[in-house]
Structure formats: structure tokens, C-alpha cells
Amino acid sequence: MTDTRAATESVSTRVDTDGEPTFLSRDEARHLTDAIRLTASALHELVHQAYVGMAHFALGYRRWADYVASEFDGMSRARSYQLLNQHEVVQVLSGAAGTDVSEVVTEKAARDIKPILEPIAAEVVARSHGVTDREQVLRLVSEVLDAARRSDSAHLSGRMNELHASQAKGTSGDLWYTPRTAVAPLLTILPRPPLRIWAHADVRGRSHIVDVLEESGYEVICSDLSTGQDFFQFTRADVEAMNVDVAVTNPPYSVRRRWLAHLVELGVPFALLTPETGVGEWAFESLRSAGAEAGLLLLNRRIAYSQRWGQKPVGSPPFNSGWICRGLLPPGQQLVFGEVPASY
């Protein structure tokens, strides 16, 4: 990375504090502007070094958030996580491009493309192969990022239209309403209120998950694709800013693998209602990444779902369901048994 100290020290501000400031020359203005730009692009690198080096512990703070709040005026905990997210994206794309691309990867761009970072990096590799001029590589990276962000926005709009249509017809393969009986066992492992829970694929008024949790005294924050919030666009910084303690939902079946992986990445404790069928196959890597904090709340009855809100669950469920958990099960236990009541 460029030495920002050298760039900064080479600039004289030439400000006369007793009178009118002396205007900078064109060269001095250019040096100063470059120094500001380089310092801004280096900020995520410095925050990353502090984070991985446990600077907060070294200075006597118990938590990273306390360190940020006390040491940096104007920087929130959420902002620090945004910078850490930006650093990760910059590192991956710099490796793909073969050169430092931090000056073209803004924090907002990093947040937008993080859920699709792997294919973006692959495209950067393909587009920049054989290109030796750095400025040209940076232009190529910028083009890839801009195209990906426009495409992702269009994809979300199209996906929302499809979801609205399928909801209206009751034909969505991903839209299955969770009965109250499936939520009851979760209450046995959740910490008691006060607790702020993120129901991240739920709409208040159309979710028994939300109903049961709120009736039990929990504060619930809802988000859903149908109301304009794409779960895969949430970053760790976003979750930190919401100040939620636990994430709970029944995710769309078709993206359950990706959903679980993103939840693990977000770092928040969670409970995810999923089919047990093939769980070792589709959830193995994510659960291994979550470590000893991950486990399963195994249910003693199969759960029948309904495709229309207000409709009674019908039919015989072909598979069992369970709550995949992180950070909620008793210490040292990765398998806990939950009783599903006949009615609730």
C-alpha cells in the first residue's frame, strides 16, 4: 500500500493563523488532494490491523465496541465494521487483479458486492488477465463493480416481483408459513427477555414466529424481501447497527445453504428452522465454520406448514425439521431435544 505518511509530510498547508490563508499552488493542491485520498483509502487497512491485532485488549478494553467509542470521536461501532468489511473485499479483489485496488473500492461498493464477491473476483481475474497497465486494471475493476451493482439491483427488483406474484397465487415454492407449534420449543433455549431478535425473513402480521416471540416478551425487528430488504445485502456492520442479539427465521428453502453460510458470516447468534434431510451435506461447511457454538435443536414431531397465511397446515410432512443454532445451546451441547406441543 502507498505510504500515506510520506505523501502527507510532503505537503505544506501554508495557513497563516494570524491573517488570510495563502492559496495553494496547483502542485501543492494536487499533493494535498492525493494525500487525503490515500489516507481515506488506507483507513480500512489501519482498522483491520487494530482489529486482528486485538488493540482493544492491549489498551485494556473488554470489547472492540468500547475501544472504538472511546478512542475515535465520530466513529461508531457500525462504521468500524463497515471498514473491516471493506478491507476484506479490497484484499480479495486486489488479489484477483494483481494490484492494490483500494482506491476504486468504496465502502458502499464493498457492502453492495460482498454477497456476490466470489463471482466478482473471478470476473476481475478474467478481465485483467494479461493487462499490465495499472490504471487500465483499475478502470476494469471499476467497470466490473458498476455492472455488478446495477445487475444486482435489477435482480432484486425482478425477484421481488416474482415473489409478490407467487404469494398472491399461493404457489411459491419458498413461501411456507411456520406454525406456532414449531416456535414453542425455541423458547426453551432462548435467553429470557429483554432480548432484541431479528426475524430476517418475516413480515409482522404474517408470521407466527414474530407473534410467538412478541407474546413472550421479546423485542422483534423484521425484514423480508417482500418489503424491500434483501437478507444477502446485510453486512456485519448492518447487524451491529441494528443492535440485535439473535437472528431467528424459517429461511426460503431454495437458498437455505447460502442463507446459513451468510448467517455464520454475519457473526450473530441464530436459530434457523430447516429440514433435517441432508443437513450434514448442505450445512456441513457452514456448521464447521461456526465451531463448537453450532448445533441442532432436534424436534420430536414433524412440522406441517401452510402456503397461505391463515390457512391451517395440511398434509403429512415428508421430512423432519429442526432448529440449527449458533450461540444458543447450553455450553458443551451440540444436540438438544425439543418437545413440539400438539397445539400452541
Side-chain angles (χ1 to χ4, degrees):
M1 179 166 290
T2 307
D3 187 347
T4 58
R5 179 183 299 175
T8 305
E9 289 178 348
S10 67
V11 178
S12 170
T13 57
R14 298 177 61 196
V15 176
D16 180 359
T17 56
D18 296 324
E20 293 296 323
T22 303
F23 290 118
L24 298 170
S25 69
R26 179 180 177 83
D27 287 343
E28 289 171 331
R30 170 48 56 197
H31 284 311
L32 180 58
T33 300
D34 288 344
I36 294 171
R37 176 174 52 80
L38 291 170
T39 300
S41 67
L43 183 56
H44 65 82
E45 169 67 26
L46 298 176
V47 172
H48 169 75
Q49 290 180 17
Y51 185 79
V52 299
M54 300 293 183
H56 53 299
F57 285 149
L59 294 180
Y61 296 96
R62 293 183 60 189
R63 301 188 308 155
W64 170 258
D66 296 334
Y67 163 74
V68 172
S70 179
E71 296 289 340
F72 309 112
D73 288 341
M75 181 184 289
S76 65
R77 176 181 58 177
R79 173 60 176 159
S80 73
Y81 280 109
Q82 289 171 349
L83 291 167
L84 291 170
N85 177 72
Q86 182 184 8
H87 176 80
E88 180 181 348
V89 173
V90 166
Q91 291 299 105
V92 171
L93 295 185
S94 294
T99 187
D100 176 27
V101 299
S102 57
E103 61 192 86
V104 298
V105 183
T106 64
E107 187 279 319
K108 180 63 168 63
R111 190 191 321 170
D112 289 345
I113 69 162
K114 180 65 179 297
I116 51 173
L117 182 56
E118 186 175 339
I120 293 297
E123 185 169 357
V124 168
V125 170
R127 292 281 301 274
S128 61
H129 180 70
V131 180
T132 57
D133 180 72
R134 183 170 183 272
E135 291 302 317
Q136 187 176 352
V137 171
L138 294 180
R139 284 195 298 271
L140 291 173
V141 172
S142 294
E143 291 172 3
V144 171
L145 296 183
D146 289 343
R149 295 169 75 187
R150 288 195 302 269
S151 175
D152 193 63
S153 176
H155 172 74
L156 174 59
S157 177
R159 179 70 183 91
M160 287 176 62
N161 291 335
E162 292 173 5
L163 181 60
H164 285 306
S166 63
Q167 284 178 333
K169 297 176 182 177
T171 58
S172 171
D174 277 339
L175 185 62
W176 293 90
Y177 292 102
T178 304
R180 295 173 61 92
T181 53
V183 190
L186 189 61
L187 300 177
T188 65
I189 65 168
L190 283 174
R192 301 312 304 158
L195 198 73
R196 190 175 171 92
I197 298 178
W198 178 28
H200 51 293
D202 299 271
V203 179
R204 180 170 282 99
R206 297 176 66 87
S207 168
H208 289 309
I209 292 177
V210 176
D211 293 343
V212 171
L213 292 175
E214 289 188 330
E215 290 168 8
S216 301
Y218 295 100
E219 180 184 2
V220 181
I221 307 300
C222 295
S223 67
D224 187 63
L225 182 62
S226 65
T227 53
Q229 299 106 355
D230 183 355
F231 168 68
F232 295 111
Q233 294 296 323
F234 282 91
T235 67
R236 182 176 291 223
D238 296 326
V239 176
E240 286 282 333
M242 290 192 295
N243 197 31
V244 294
D245 301 297
V246 179
V248 173
T249 202
N250 173 7
Y253 178 83
S254 66
V255 290
R256 65 196 186 285
R257 181 194 301 263
R258 184 182 172 202
W259 200 284
L260 176 61
H262 191 50
L263 261 182
V264 172
E265 183 180 74
L266 291 177
V268 64
F270 62 77
L272 203 62
L273 183 60
T274 62
E276 295 173 20
T277 305
V279 67
E281 177 185 353
W282 65 266
F284 182 84
E285 289 299 332
S286 295
L287 291 179
R288 185 166 66 176
S289 297
E293 292 184 334
L296 180 67
L297 175 61
L298 188 65
L299 305 182
N300 67 327
R301 297 174 186 263
R302 293 187 177 186
I303 303 299
Y305 303 86
S306 59
Q307 271 202 295
R308 290 183 181 273
W309 177 249
Q311 184 183 73
K312 289 185 177 181
V314 295
S316 299
F319 48 77
N320 295 323
S321 299
W323 289 94
I324 294 179
C325 303
R326 180 187 191 181
L328 295 177
L329 301 181
Q333 296 187 42
Q334 292 185 288
L335 181 61
V336 174
F337 298 95
E339 298 281 341
V340 177
S343 61
Y344 183 75

Short mmCIF file of all heavy atoms in Angstrom, two decimals, residues 231-266:
data_model
loop_
_atom_site.label_atom_id
_atom_site.label_comp_id
_atom_site.label_asym_id
_atom_site.label_seq_id
_atom_site.Cartn_x
_atom_site.Cartn_y
_atom_site.Cartn_z
N PHE A 231 -31.93 -10.09 2.48
CA PHE A 231 -31.07 -10.61 3.55
C PHE A 231 -29.61 -10.67 3.13
O PHE A 231 -28.70 -10.39 3.92
CB PHE A 231 -31.56 -12.00 3.97
CG PHE A 231 -30.59 -12.74 4.85
CD1 PHE A 231 -30.33 -12.32 6.14
CD2 PHE A 231 -29.93 -13.87 4.38
CE1 PHE A 231 -29.42 -13.00 6.95
CE2 PHE A 231 -29.04 -14.56 5.18
CZ PHE A 231 -28.78 -14.12 6.47
N PHE A 232 -29.35 -11.04 1.88
CA PHE A 232 -27.97 -11.21 1.44
C PHE A 232 -27.23 -9.89 1.27
O PHE A 232 -26.02 -9.89 1.06
CB PHE A 232 -27.94 -12.02 0.14
CG PHE A 232 -28.43 -13.42 0.32
CD1 PHE A 232 -29.63 -13.83 -0.25
CD2 PHE A 232 -27.72 -14.34 1.08
CE1 PHE A 232 -30.11 -15.11 -0.06
CE2 PHE A 232 -28.19 -15.62 1.27
CZ PHE A 232 -29.38 -16.02 0.70
N GLN A 233 -27.95 -8.77 1.37
CA GLN A 233 -27.29 -7.47 1.31
C GLN A 233 -26.87 -6.98 2.70
O GLN A 233 -26.12 -6.01 2.81
CB GLN A 233 -28.23 -6.44 0.67
CG GLN A 233 -28.54 -6.69 -0.79
CD GLN A 233 -27.31 -6.58 -1.67
OE1 GLN A 233 -26.44 -5.74 -1.44
NE2 GLN A 233 -27.21 -7.43 -2.66
N PHE A 234 -27.34 -7.64 3.75
CA PHE A 234 -26.96 -7.23 5.10
C PHE A 234 -25.51 -7.61 5.38
O PHE A 234 -25.08 -8.72 5.05
CB PHE A 234 -27.86 -7.89 6.14
CG PHE A 234 -29.22 -7.25 6.27
CD1 PHE A 234 -30.29 -7.70 5.52
CD2 PHE A 234 -29.42 -6.20 7.15
CE1 PHE A 234 -31.54 -7.13 5.64
CE2 PHE A 234 -30.67 -5.61 7.28
CZ PHE A 234 -31.73 -6.08 6.51
N THR A 235 -24.78 -6.69 5.98
CA THR A 235 -23.40 -6.94 6.37
C THR A 235 -23.31 -7.03 7.89
O THR A 235 -24.25 -6.70 8.61
CB THR A 235 -22.47 -5.82 5.88
OG1 THR A 235 -22.81 -4.60 6.59
CG2 THR A 235 -22.63 -5.58 4.39
N ARG A 236 -22.16 -7.44 8.36
CA ARG A 236 -21.94 -7.49 9.81
C ARG A 236 -22.13 -6.11 10.42
O ARG A 236 -22.66 -5.97 11.52
CB ARG A 236 -20.53 -8.02 10.10
CG ARG A 236 -20.24 -8.15 11.58
CD ARG A 236 -18.88 -8.78 11.83
NE ARG A 236 -18.86 -10.18 11.44
CZ ARG A 236 -18.29 -11.14 12.16
NH1 ARG A 236 -17.71 -10.85 13.31
NH2 ARG A 236 -18.29 -12.38 11.74
N ALA A 237 -21.70 -5.08 9.68
CA ALA A 237 -21.87 -3.71 10.17
C ALA A 237 -23.36 -3.36 10.30
O ALA A 237 -23.76 -2.69 11.25
CB ALA A 237 -21.18 -2.73 9.23
N ASP A 238 -24.16 -3.79 9.34
CA ASP A 238 -25.60 -3.53 9.41
C ASP A 238 -26.22 -4.19 10.64
O ASP A 238 -27.05 -3.60 11.34
CB ASP A 238 -26.31 -4.05 8.15
CG ASP A 238 -25.86 -3.34 6.89
OD1 ASP A 238 -25.57 -2.14 6.96
OD2 ASP A 238 -25.80 -4.00 5.84
N VAL A 239 -25.82 -5.43 10.90
CA VAL A 239 -26.35 -6.16 12.05
C VAL A 239 -25.92 -5.49 13.35
O VAL A 239 -26.70 -5.33 14.29
CB VAL A 239 -25.90 -7.63 12.01
CG1 VAL A 239 -26.36 -8.37 13.27
CG2 VAL A 239 -26.45 -8.32 10.78
N GLU A 240 -24.67 -5.05 13.39
CA GLU A 240 -24.18 -4.33 14.57
C GLU A 240 -24.98 -3.05 14.79
O GLU A 240 -25.32 -2.71 15.92
CB GLU A 240 -22.70 -4.00 14.40
CG GLU A 240 -21.77 -5.20 14.56
CD GLU A 240 -21.58 -5.56 16.03
OE1 GLU A 240 -21.70 -4.67 16.89
OE2 GLU A 240 -21.32 -6.74 16.30
N ALA A 241 -25.28 -2.35 13.69
CA ALA A 241 -26.02 -1.09 13.80
C ALA A 241 -27.44 -1.32 14.30
O ALA A 241 -28.01 -0.46 14.99
CB ALA A 241 -26.04 -0.38 12.45
N MET A 242 -28.04 -2.46 13.96
CA MET A 242 -29.38 -2.78 14.43
C MET A 242 -29.39 -3.16 15.90
O MET A 242 -30.44 -3.18 16.54
CB MET A 242 -29.99 -3.91 13.60
CG MET A 242 -30.35 -3.54 12.18
SD MET A 242 -31.36 -4.82 11.38
CE MET A 242 -30.21 -6.18 11.31
N ASN A 243 -28.21 -3.50 16.42
CA ASN A 243 -28.07 -3.86 17.85
C ASN A 243 -28.96 -5.04 18.22
O ASN A 243 -29.62 -5.02 19.27
CB ASN A 243 -28.37 -2.65 18.72
CG ASN A 243 -27.84 -2.82 20.13
OD1 ASN A 243 -26.82 -3.48 20.36
ND2 ASN A 243 -28.52 -2.24 21.10
N VAL A 244 -29.01 -6.06 17.36
CA VAL A 244 -29.82 -7.24 17.65
C VAL A 244 -28.96 -8.29 18.37
O VAL A 244 -27.74 -8.34 18.20
CB VAL A 244 -30.43 -7.86 16.37
CG1 VAL A 244 -31.43 -6.89 15.76
CG2 VAL A 244 -29.36 -8.23 15.36
N ASP A 245 -29.62 -9.11 19.17
CA ASP A 245 -28.91 -10.13 19.95
C ASP A 245 -28.94 -11.50 19.27
O ASP A 245 -28.00 -12.29 19.41
CB ASP A 245 -29.54 -10.25 21.34
CG ASP A 245 -29.49 -8.95 22.11
OD1 ASP A 245 -28.37 -8.48 22.38
OD2 ASP A 245 -30.56 -8.40 22.42
N VAL A 246 -30.03 -11.80 18.58
CA VAL A 246 -30.24 -13.12 17.98
C VAL A 246 -31.00 -12.94 16.66
O VAL A 246 -31.83 -12.04 16.53
CB VAL A 246 -31.07 -14.03 18.92
CG1 VAL A 246 -31.30 -15.40 18.28
CG2 VAL A 246 -30.39 -14.19 20.26
N ALA A 247 -30.70 -13.81 15.69
CA ALA A 247 -31.45 -13.84 14.43
C ALA A 247 -32.26 -15.14 14.37
O ALA A 247 -31.71 -16.21 14.62
CB ALA A 247 -30.49 -13.75 13.24
N VAL A 248 -33.54 -15.03 14.04
CA VAL A 248 -34.43 -16.20 14.02
C VAL A 248 -35.30 -16.14 12.78
O VAL A 248 -35.87 -15.08 12.47
CB VAL A 248 -35.34 -16.24 15.27
CG1 VAL A 248 -36.37 -17.36 15.16
CG2 VAL A 248 -34.51 -16.40 16.54
N THR A 249 -35.43 -17.25 12.05
CA THR A 249 -36.38 -17.32 10.95
C THR A 249 -36.49 -18.73 10.41
O THR A 249 -35.72 -19.62 10.77
CB THR A 249 -36.00 -16.34 9.82
OG1 THR A 249 -37.16 -16.05 9.04
CG2 THR A 249 -34.93 -16.93 8.89
N ASN A 250 -37.44 -18.91 9.50
CA ASN A 250 -37.55 -20.09 8.64
C ASN A 250 -37.17 -19.61 7.25
O ASN A 250 -37.96 -18.92 6.60
CB ASN A 250 -38.99 -20.62 8.68
CG ASN A 250 -39.22 -21.75 7.68
OD1 ASN A 250 -38.30 -22.24 7.04
ND2 ASN A 250 -40.47 -22.15 7.53
N PRO A 251 -35.97 -19.91 6.75
CA PRO A 251 -35.49 -19.31 5.51
C PRO A 251 -36.12 -19.94 4.27
O PRO A 251 -36.68 -21.04 4.33
CB PRO A 251 -33.99 -19.61 5.54
CG PRO A 251 -33.92 -20.93 6.26
CD PRO A 251 -35.00 -20.87 7.31
N PRO A 252 -36.06 -19.25 3.13
CA PRO A 252 -36.53 -19.85 1.87
C PRO A 252 -35.76 -21.14 1.59
O PRO A 252 -34.54 -21.18 1.65
CB PRO A 252 -36.20 -18.77 0.83
CG PRO A 252 -36.12 -17.49 1.62
CD PRO A 252 -35.57 -17.87 2.94
N TYR A 253 -36.48 -22.17 1.25
CA TYR A 253 -35.88 -23.50 1.10
C TYR A 253 -34.80 -23.53 0.01
O TYR A 253 -33.75 -24.14 0.20
CB TYR A 253 -36.98 -24.52 0.78
CG TYR A 253 -36.46 -25.92 0.57
CD1 TYR A 253 -36.21 -26.77 1.65
CD2 TYR A 253 -36.21 -26.41 -0.71
CE1 TYR A 253 -35.72 -28.06 1.47
CE2 TYR A 253 -35.71 -27.69 -0.91
CZ TYR A 253 -35.48 -28.51 0.18
OH TYR A 253 -34.99 -29.77 -0.01
N SER A 254 -35.05 -22.87 -1.11
CA SER A 254 -34.15 -22.99 -2.25
C SER A 254 -32.78 -22.38 -2.00
O SER A 254 -31.82 -22.70 -2.70
CB SER A 254 -34.78 -22.36 -3.50
OG SER A 254 -34.92 -20.95 -3.34
N VAL A 255 -32.69 -21.47 -1.02
CA VAL A 255 -31.40 -20.81 -0.76
C VAL A 255 -30.93 -21.09 0.67
O VAL A 255 -30.15 -20.31 1.22
CB VAL A 255 -31.49 -19.29 -1.01
CG1 VAL A 255 -31.64 -18.99 -2.49
CG2 VAL A 255 -32.63 -18.67 -0.21
N ARG A 256 -31.39 -22.18 1.27
CA ARG A 256 -31.07 -22.46 2.66
C ARG A 256 -29.57 -22.62 2.89
O ARG A 256 -29.04 -22.19 3.92
CB ARG A 256 -31.80 -23.72 3.14
CG ARG A 256 -31.39 -25.01 2.44
CD ARG A 256 -32.40 -26.12 2.67
NE ARG A 256 -31.96 -27.40 2.13
CZ ARG A 256 -31.95 -27.72 0.85
NH1 ARG A 256 -32.34 -26.82 -0.07
NH2 ARG A 256 -31.55 -28.91 0.44
N ARG A 257 -28.85 -23.19 1.91
CA ARG A 257 -27.40 -23.37 2.06
C ARG A 257 -26.70 -22.02 2.12
O ARG A 257 -25.89 -21.75 3.00
CB ARG A 257 -26.87 -24.19 0.88
CG ARG A 257 -25.37 -24.47 0.94
CD ARG A 257 -24.87 -24.98 -0.41
NE ARG A 257 -25.53 -26.18 -0.81
CZ ARG A 257 -25.07 -27.42 -0.64
NH1 ARG A 257 -23.91 -27.59 -0.05
NH2 ARG A 257 -25.74 -28.46 -1.06
N ARG A 258 -27.04 -21.16 1.17
CA ARG A 258 -26.42 -19.84 1.12
C ARG A 258 -26.86 -19.00 2.32
O ARG A 258 -26.08 -18.22 2.87
CB ARG A 258 -26.81 -19.14 -0.19
CG ARG A 258 -26.15 -17.80 -0.40
CD ARG A 258 -26.62 -17.15 -1.69
NE ARG A 258 -26.13 -15.79 -1.81
CZ ARG A 258 -26.69 -14.86 -2.57
NH1 ARG A 258 -27.76 -15.16 -3.29
NH2 ARG A 258 -26.20 -13.64 -2.62
N TRP A 259 -28.10 -19.19 2.75
CA TRP A 259 -28.64 -18.43 3.89
C TRP A 259 -27.84 -18.74 5.15
O TRP A 259 -27.43 -17.85 5.89
CB TRP A 259 -30.11 -18.80 4.09
CG TRP A 259 -30.89 -17.79 4.87
CD1 TRP A 259 -30.87 -17.59 6.22
CD2 TRP A 259 -31.83 -16.84 4.33
NE1 TRP A 259 -31.73 -16.59 6.57
CE2 TRP A 259 -32.34 -16.11 5.44
CE3 TRP A 259 -32.29 -16.55 3.06
CZ2 TRP A 259 -33.28 -15.10 5.27
CZ3 TRP A 259 -33.23 -15.55 2.90
CH2 TRP A 259 -33.72 -14.84 3.99
N LEU A 260 -27.63 -20.03 5.40
CA LEU A 260 -26.88 -20.44 6.58
C LEU A 260 -25.46 -19.91 6.54
O LEU A 260 -24.94 -19.41 7.55
CB LEU A 260 -26.89 -21.96 6.69
CG LEU A 260 -26.05 -22.56 7.83
CD1 LEU A 260 -26.55 -22.07 9.19
CD2 LEU A 260 -26.09 -24.09 7.76
N ALA A 261 -24.82 -20.00 5.39
CA ALA A 261 -23.44 -19.53 5.27
C ALA A 261 -23.35 -18.04 5.55
O ALA A 261 -22.41 -17.57 6.21
CB ALA A 261 -22.91 -19.85 3.87
N HIS A 262 -24.34 -17.28 5.07
CA HIS A 262 -24.30 -15.83 5.30
C HIS A 262 -24.56 -15.50 6.76
O HIS A 262 -23.96 -14.57 7.32
CB HIS A 262 -25.32 -15.14 4.39
CG HIS A 262 -25.18 -13.65 4.36
ND1 HIS A 262 -23.97 -13.02 4.13
CD2 HIS A 262 -26.09 -12.65 4.54
CE1 HIS A 262 -24.14 -11.71 4.15
NE2 HIS A 262 -25.42 -11.46 4.42
N LEU A 263 -25.43 -16.27 7.41
CA LEU A 263 -25.68 -16.05 8.83
C LEU A 263 -24.40 -16.27 9.64
O LEU A 263 -24.08 -15.50 10.56
CB LEU A 263 -26.77 -17.01 9.33
CG LEU A 263 -28.18 -16.48 9.47
CD1 LEU A 263 -29.09 -17.56 10.02
CD2 LEU A 263 -28.24 -15.23 10.34
N VAL A 264 -23.68 -17.33 9.32
CA VAL A 264 -22.42 -17.60 10.01
C VAL A 264 -21.45 -16.44 9.79
O VAL A 264 -20.76 -15.98 10.72
CB VAL A 264 -21.80 -18.92 9.52
CG1 VAL A 264 -20.39 -19.11 10.08
CG2 VAL A 264 -22.69 -20.10 9.93
N GLU A 265 -21.43 -15.92 8.58
CA GLU A 265 -20.55 -14.81 8.25
C GLU A 265 -20.91 -13.55 9.03
O GLU A 265 -20.02 -12.80 9.44
CB GLU A 265 -20.64 -14.53 6.74
CG GLU A 265 -19.72 -13.45 6.23
CD GLU A 265 -19.89 -13.23 4.73
OE1 GLU A 265 -20.91 -12.65 4.33
OE2 GLU A 265 -19.02 -13.67 3.96
N LEU A 266 -22.20 -13.33 9.27
CA LEU A 266 -22.64 -12.13 9.98
C LEU A 266 -22.24 -12.15 11.45
O LEU A 266 -22.16 -11.11 12.09
CB LEU A 266 -24.15 -11.97 9.86
CG LEU A 266 -24.69 -11.62 8.46
CD1 LEU A 266 -26.21 -11.56 8.47
CD2 LEU A 266 -24.10 -10.31 7.97
#
